[in-house]
Amino acid sequence: MRALIAAATGLALAFALVLAISALGTPSGRTSPKPLLTTVPAHP
């Protein structure tokens, strides 16, 4: 019985955490205007 209560409590806490994170919404991030400059190594 204790295991069932512990599982239900954990599930409720996980559900509350998901609701809290989704209530915050998506972060307002932006992409960098500068492109990533990568170089290809020379083949031997």
Side-chain angles (χ1 to χ4, degrees):
M1 189 66 179
R2 285 184 182 179
L4 184 62
I5 293 172
T9 304
L11 185 62
L13 285 174
F15 188 67
L17 181 65
V18 167
L19 283 179
I21 291 175
S22 64
L24 293 176
T26 57
S28 60
R30 285 186 264 145
T31 57
S32 175
K34 297 180 181 178
L36 293 174
L37 300 176
T38 59
T39 57
V40 177
H43 292 288

